[in-house]
Amino acid sequence: MAARPRLFLLPSLLALLPFLSSLAAAAGCRKNTTLAGFEAELAMVQHQLRGVVRVLDGCSFSVSEFDMLAGSTHVRWWGATGDGFHNLTLGSPISDQTLSRTFRNESFTVRLADNATWDQIAVLAIWDPVTASDFGHVVLGAPGLDQSEAPAPSPDLSPAPSPSSSSVERRSKRRIHLQPTMFDNCLILSPRYRLRWTLDPESDSIDIGLEAAIGSQYYMAFGWAAPGSASPSMIHADVAVAGFTEDATPFVEDYFITEYSECLQNKDDKFKGVCPDTMYEGGDPVGLVNNTKLVYGHRKDGVSFIRYARPLVSGDNKYDVPVSKTGNMTVIWAWGLMRSPDTLLPHYLPQNHGGPRLTTFGYFDLDVSRRVNDCLGPLDAEDKEDQDLIIADGKKPLVVSSGPALHYPNPPSPSKVLYINKKEAPLLRVERGVPVTFSVQAGHDVALYITSDFLGGNATSRNMTEVIYAGGPEAEGVPANPTEVVWSVDRNTPDLVYYHSLYEQKMGWKVQVVDGGISDMYNSSVFLDDQQVTLFWTLSDGSISIAARGEKKSGYLAIAFGIGMINSYAYVGWVDDEGKSHVNTYWIDGKDAMNVHTTSENLTYERCRSENGIITFEFTRPLSPSCSGRVECKNIIDPTTPLKVVWAMGSRWSEDHLSERNMHSVTSGRPVRVFLLRGSAEAEQDLLPVLAVHGFMMFVAWGILFPGGILAARYLKHVKGDGWYQLHVYLQYSGIAIVLLGVLFAAAELRGFYISSVHVKFGVTAMILACAQPINAYVRPKRPENGEVASSKRIIWEYVHVIIGRSAIIVGIAALFSGMKHLGDRYDSENVEGLALALMLWVLSGGLLVMYLEYKQFKRRDENSVRGSWVLGNSEEDDSVDLLRPDRTVMKPESHPSGRMELQLEPLGR
């Protein structure tokens, strides 16, 4: 009987075990309550993370208002001793909960793992250990702090809400937000655009957050309509325009709307449209009209976020609308493409939002004092890859350098990361079958290699395996002594690999490996000026196929044939708002939109595409248009002549109705001379001084020396002595020497001698004729002795000498005039017409001088001398000295008994 109570005691103890375990756990939690009550907001790093963490006790913490885009199955709550990359990688998971799904404004409780205690955790993070990615974190304090050293709780000391608490209870007290991404209120404006705000009545100010899943080249606008409007209107509205500059720097500024147009300047220098307040006032030196203050901004996961503060009532009564603390007011919002600053308008200017109401713009009534939280979940952009894209070209090396981590796509990052072609950790795209060349100049402590490992930094050091496709310890160098690495991308290369440093993790980024693309389709390619645009081409029989690809994000890309956009034939590629691609041709003859004329050029195989804002367009056209009478008919491409090419980019283009908004925001600094046959290019140099010296030398030779030598031989023989002969020979030889020096001088500076233009053909012909005269003079037949009849060879030689000389002068003068035209076509110089007129007057003066001298000669000439009337000589010729052949003895002429007198021809000028 005594043993029976023991049989019933065992089930009773078993029933008490869960209760006893909970008591033991509670006792353990009470031993580590240093951080109990601590509350803080999660710092967003990526995946659109938001939320509030509150430590409940030594074993658990609560999370409320939690947003996060889905991560991998490896994402965990993570504990570390610091928020740096090294400390986070050495941390460990503190909970078994996985965070692989999308969270939408959720609340829940997380229990620490058995081996995790708060005194070992300084940073509570959401971490992906496979990719070493920090989604967001909370800094708790240094490990091992006692109660007196524990971090202070957030200013909101109200009790932490349980997961079942209502939103009214959670908002019983206004929280002071320490993280710039957190606000009291959130309102959905459109599927891609949200408004967040926190009102601070004590300081009479409001903090506003604009958040949109849009591209980096788009603006976000929000503001208040003018009070008293009969219907919602943007006219006279006070708005803030926010966005990011081309170098990813956030900005926000006060704007005032006077018209539904982009900001433009009238003829009276007054501005109208959507313009910054400062432009209406001609500057804002003391901050009287620009009353918005940028607090924070970022672009993460394809989402733009800007936080700014503004006073409810500012001192600017002209352009700012006073905001009521409690009443309803009409507000307006919009988003759309943005025009970058240029030399005329140094501001980022919004363009037409270009979409339907409630999608890209809208109006509604808002009371900023009411509590709203309609944003259930994070914004999810379709395109989350926001870094630069570089498409490798097999003919051009990729320059690999290193620099500070400013916008590394996978935080946290080391202090130094890899740059390719001066872009920070870009997404690299290569094509199978196209070798890729890297010029490594990142320093001796950085060795480039292509790896299958996501993190790099030598996976074997982490007891991991990897496949190395190129590079290694030897792939290091400096700008003064770079190392070349060639990677042969074959058909077995995976679709995704990574470029990294062998010595440190997470310095590089992804490499997309695709099948053959644009580089394989064209025979030649070159970088244009500033390496911002790549030009591709293939020559065929009678036609040329051309492609152009921008290396930075833009709304359109244009290339033009000429020394500048003005007076050039331009080809523009863009994709409109409906996703339709366009390639159009234009003739541009001025700086205004009205000077951009659409042409009807015969283009075939037109294609245009935009990938992450990178524009690529292609077309095929004949080398010589088969038309006449239209401006595009003059757009002839001569493959033997260097083609001068410039480029421009902007934020928006339209097929018709062009306006100032279509003007480019960035353009090439100078033209590039593309050698189509050689497949190379060089920057256009300022050769105006070189060509000016060349032209002056040719003018001296063909305009002074050669004609002077001819005039001496023709009209000075009546002067006694052989002075005319010496003057003739010396002037001709001096002219030939100057011509040869001028040609060599121009050819050396132009790095080649190409017989292509009309000017060069005239010049070469004149030079050949000029050089033929000394040879002709050297083989001159002997002059007949006194009383002898001139031989037929002598007579033929005289006529040949005269014909070549006169032809040389005529062709040389033609070369001078064609050179003037060539100079005008190349530099569009205003002085060319004046120089051409001066040359024409010089030639006319020379002609009048010859007519006068011929008249004087006629009076002295023997009218019976038929030969003397044709050739450049007279009956008083004196060959007493032969400078061409000094070893020949020449007798002076004597009177012939028969009355015949020999006419001796001398070497003539060209």
Side-chain angles (χ1 to χ4, degrees):
M1 295 296 296
R4 294 188 64 181
R6 296 179 183 178
L7 294 177
F8 290 99
L9 180 60
L10 182 58
S12 302
L13 291 175
L14 292 175
L16 291 174
L17 280 178
F19 175 73
L20 295 175
S21 298
S22 62
L23 289 178
C29 292
R30 285 194 296 269
K31 293 180 181 179
N32 295 281
T33 56
T34 302
L35 295 176
F38 174 84
E39 182 178 290
E41 296 165 341
L42 285 163
M44 179 194 295
V45 179
Q46 54 182 318
H47 280 245
Q48 298 301 297
L49 182 73
R50 282 186 177 89
V52 180
V53 171
R54 184 180 181 91
V55 178
L56 300 178
D57 49 43
C59 298
S60 61
F61 60 94
S62 66
V63 182
S64 58
E65 303 176 49
F66 187 64
D67 287 348
M68 192 187 78
L69 295 177
S72 71
T73 57
H74 305 284
V75 180
R76 294 286 192 278
W77 290 102
W78 196 262
T81 59
D83 58 355
F85 173 68
H86 180 71
N87 289 329
L88 285 170
T89 55
L90 295 178
S92 59
I94 62 171
S95 171
D96 296 331
Q97 181 183 7
T98 60
L99 302 170
S100 57
R101 65 179 179 88
T102 297
F103 290 83
R104 306 180 185 278
N105 200 18
E106 299 183 28
S107 299
F108 51 87
T109 299
V110 179
R111 185 172 181 83
L112 296 182
D114 294 339
N115 59 345
T117 58
W118 290 118
D119 58 1
Q120 299 173 341
I121 302 171
V123 172
L124 176 63
I126 297 178
W127 179 260
D128 183 350
V130 174
T131 60
S133 296
D134 179 17
F135 291 13
H137 59 264
V138 172
V139 178
L140 304 177
L145 290 176
D146 59 25
Q147 183 65 37
S148 62
E149 297 173 326
S154 67
D156 184 4
L157 300 180
S158 59
S162 65
S164 59
S165 299
S166 66
S167 60
V168 176
E169 292 173 339
R170 287 165 47 217
R171 295 182 179 272
S172 59
K173 286 190 177 182
R174 174 176 169 268
R175 176 184 292 116
I176 299 177
H177 302 290
L178 299 180
Q179 294 299 331
T181 58
M182 300 294 291
F183 292 84
D184 286 343
N185 308 281
C186 184
L187 189 64
I188 297 176
L189 303 180
S190 78
R192 299 171 63 181
Y193 192 17
R194 292 179 176 181
L195 169 70
R196 298 178 184 269
W197 77 93
T198 295
L199 178 66
D200 188 0
E202 291 80 8
S203 63
D204 288 328
S205 66
I206 186 171
D207 276 32
I208 296 175
L210 304 180
E211 185 178 32
I214 55 178
S216 60
Q217 68 270 30
Y218 286 75
Y219 71 88
M220 300 177 291
F222 175 79
W224 279 264
S229 300
S231 60
S233 172
M234 290 189 177
I235 301 299
H236 298 153
D238 168 26
V239 299
V241 175
F244 292 85
T245 64
E246 293 178 349
D247 61 356
T249 301
F251 74 89
V252 64
E253 191 167 358
D254 254 353
Y255 282 64
F256 188 73
I257 302 176
T258 57
E259 287 188 8
Y260 291 119
S261 70
E262 184 181 341
C263 184
L264 296 174
Q265 191 173 14
N266 295 330
K267 295 181 180 179
D268 57 356
D269 294 334
K270 299 295 184 180
F271 288 93
K272 64 179 182 178
V274 185
C275 301
D277 294 0
T278 55
M279 293 184 71
Y280 294 114
E281 294 296 316
D284 187 26
V286 293
L288 296 177
V289 294
N290 185 22
N291 295 293
T292 59
K293 178 183 178 183
L294 176 68
V295 177
Y296 175 79
H298 71 228
R299 271 194 62 82
K300 301 179 187 295
D301 311 302
V303 176
S304 294
F305 175 83
I306 298 288
R307 179 177 184 141
Y308 66 93
R310 62 153 289 172
L312 296 176
V313 180
S314 72
D316 178 13
N317 298 323
K318 191 173 183 180
Y319 303 111
D320 285 359
V321 173
V323 179
S324 171
K325 295 181 183 180
T326 57
N328 276 337
M329 297 186 67
T330 301
V331 295
I332 63 173
W333 60 270
W335 61 267
L337 279 170
M338 177 171 54
R339 175 182 172 183
S340 302
D342 53 30
T343 55
L344 298 178
L345 299 175
H347 290 270
Y348 283 87
L349 300 179
Q351 297 181 339
N352 185 9
H353 39 73
R357 184 176 178 180
L358 302 182
T359 299
T360 60
F361 77 99
Y363 318 85
F364 64 95
D365 290 337
L366 176 65
D367 180 358
V368 296
S369 64
R370 69 187 179 104
R371 298 301 180 93
V372 180
N373 188 7
D374 292 340
C375 305
L376 301 179
L379 275 175
D380 191 359
E382 295 181 1
D383 183 12
K384 298 181 178 62
E385 297 286 352
D386 203 36
Q387 73 275 18
D388 291 320
L389 170 68
I390 289 182
I391 301 176
D393 180 3
K395 298 179 178 62
K396 296 294 180 181
L398 301 173
V399 179
V400 180
S401 58
S402 60
L406 302 176
H407 307 288
Y408 186 73
N410 181 32
S413 63
S415 59
K416 184 171 68 172
V417 297
L418 293 178
Y419 283 65
I420 296 182
N421 288 355
K422 299 181 180 180
K423 296 180 179 180
E424 179 189 358
L427 177 65
L428 181 61
R429 182 175 297 166
V430 301
E431 298 166 356
R432 293 183 176 90
V434 180
V436 180
T437 302
F438 299 91
S439 178
V440 184
Q441 308 174 13
H444 296 302
D445 59 340
V446 177
L448 176 74
Y449 79 126
I450 310 299
T451 173
S452 61
D453 183 60
F454 184 89
L455 298 179
N458 192 0
T460 57
S461 64
R462 309 191 309 273
N463 297 321
M464 304 287 290
T465 59
E466 64 180 337
V467 178
I468 298 177
Y469 301 94
E474 303 82 11
E476 51 87 10
V478 294
N481 185 26
T483 297
E484 188 174 275
V485 176
V486 179
W487 174 26
S488 298
V489 188
D490 57 35
R491 59 183 300 178
N492 297 321
T493 306
D495 292 340
L496 183 63
V497 293
Y498 308 90
Y499 64 92
H500 280 296
S501 168
L502 189 66
Y503 302 135
E504 188 171 357
Q505 298 178 24
K506 293 181 70 173
M507 287 190 66
W509 191 231
K510 299 176 181 178
V511 182
Q512 292 180 347
V513 183
V514 299
D515 292 330
I518 192 169
S519 297
D520 293 333
M521 296 169 59
Y522 293 87
N523 293 339
S524 305
S525 65
V526 295
F527 278 120
L528 299 183
D529 185 52
D530 298 331
Q531 296 189 348
Q532 296 294 331
V533 175
T534 306
L535 181 72
F536 305 84
W537 72 94
T538 295
L539 287 169
S540 56
D541 187 17
S543 66
I544 183 172
S545 297
I546 296 176
R549 181 179 65 215
E551 302 294 337
K552 63 184 299 183
K553 297 180 179 181
S554 63
Y556 73 85
L557 171 64
I559 61 170
F561 299 156
I563 61 174
M565 281 293 172
I566 300 177
N567 294 328
S568 70
Y569 296 95
Y571 300 84
V572 183
W574 78 99
V575 178
D576 61 23
D577 296 333
E578 298 178 356
K580 183 181 179 181
S581 62
H582 301 267
V583 179
N584 275 13
T585 65
Y586 303 88
W587 164 250
I588 304 176
D589 57 7
K591 297 182 178 180
D592 299 327
M594 65 179 62
N595 299 115
V596 182
H597 311 286
T598 305
T599 66
S600 301
E601 192 169 350
N602 183 23
L603 300 185
T604 55
Y605 301 105
E606 305 168 46
R607 292 192 301 174
C608 181
R609 61 182 180 273
S610 176
E611 297 177 310
N612 296 327
I614 304 298
I615 302 290
T616 302
F617 69 89
E618 307 169 66
F619 62 90
T620 299
R621 53 150 290 176
L623 293 174
S624 180
S626 57
C627 64
S628 61
R630 302 195 304 268
V631 65
E632 62 266 22
C633 303
K634 300 179 181 179
N635 186 15
I636 299 174
I637 295 179
D638 182 2
T640 63
T641 303
L643 181 66
K644 293 182 282 292
V645 185
V646 296
W647 60 264
M649 297 182 192
S651 57
R652 189 178 182 87
W653 194 264
S654 57
E655 193 165 9
D656 48 18
H657 305 298
L658 298 176
S659 65
E660 298 300 327
R661 71 184 61 181
N662 302 120
M663 296 299 100
H664 53 256
S665 59
V666 60
T667 184
S668 54
R670 56 182 176 176
V672 167
R673 302 170 71 236
V674 179
F675 301 91
L676 299 175
L677 291 178
R678 292 190 290 175
S680 62
E682 63 182 22
E684 177 80 354
Q685 299 178 3
D686 185 9
L687 297 176
L688 183 59
V690 176
L691 299 182
V693 173
H694 168 80
F696 178 77
M697 295 174 71
M698 292 305 176
F699 170 75
V700 170
W702 295 105
I704 299 176
L705 297 180
F706 287 145
I710 292 176
L711 294 178
R714 173 66 174 168
Y715 302 112
L716 296 180
K717 287 184 179 179
H718 66 279
V719 180
K720 291 184 178 181
D722 60 353
W724 69 270
Y725 191 81
Q726 296 185 34
L727 183 61
H728 171 73
V729 174
Y730 285 140
L731 288 177
Q732 305 304 85
Y733 273 98
S734 299
I736 291 175
I738 291 178
V739 166
L740 294 176
L741 287 175
V743 171
L744 293 176
F745 184 75
E749 290 297 327
L750 294 172
R751 298 181 183 179
F753 190 79
Y754 309 100
I755 305 177
S756 55
S757 66
V758 174
H759 169 66
V760 177
K761 291 176 181 177
F762 273 129
V764 170
T765 304
M767 188 171 60
I768 292 174
L769 293 173
C771 293
Q773 285 295 73
I775 300 174
N776 178 269
Y778 184 79
V779 299
R780 177 180 58 181
K782 184 178 180 180
R783 187 175 67 88
E785 299 292 340
N786 292 337
E788 294 182 0
V789 178
S791 65
S792 59
K793 291 183 179 180
R794 175 75 184 195
I795 294 174
I796 293 173
W797 176 87
E798 290 177 355
Y799 280 98
V800 170
H801 190 66
V802 170
I803 292 173
I804 292 177
R806 290 181 176 181
S807 300
I809 286 295
I810 294 173
V811 177
I813 292 176
L816 289 178
F817 279 102
S818 63
M820 286 292 182
K821 184 178 184 302
H822 180 71
L823 186 67
D825 293 342
R826 183 178 187 119
Y827 289 100
D828 194 25
S829 176
E830 298 178 356
N831 300 324
V832 171
E833 293 184 1
L835 292 174
L837 180 60
L839 179 61
M840 195 176 301
L841 292 175
W842 178 263
V843 174
L844 181 61
S845 300
L848 294 174
L849 177 62
V850 169
M851 293 175 62
Y852 172 77
L853 293 176
E854 197 66 26
Y855 170 74
K856 299 289 290 183
Q857 182 80 350
F858 181 77
K859 289 184 176 182
R860 294 191 297 268
R861 181 181 305 160
D862 183 1
E863 295 183 0
N864 295 325
S865 177
V866 178
R867 291 172 58 202
S869 66
W870 193 89
V871 297
L872 293 181
N874 58 26
S875 59
E876 301 175 357
E877 180 184 12
D878 186 357
D879 281 352
S880 59
V881 178
D882 191 341
L883 295 181
L884 295 177
R885 300 176 66 179
D887 58 333
R888 174 185 291 183
T889 302
V890 181
M891 300 298 294
K892 293 184 178 181
E894 298 179 359
S895 299
H896 197 275
S898 66
R900 287 189 63 181
M901 182 171 290
E902 178 185 359
L903 181 63
Q904 176 71 34
L905 288 178
E906 301 300 337
L908 300 183
R910 272 57 60 193

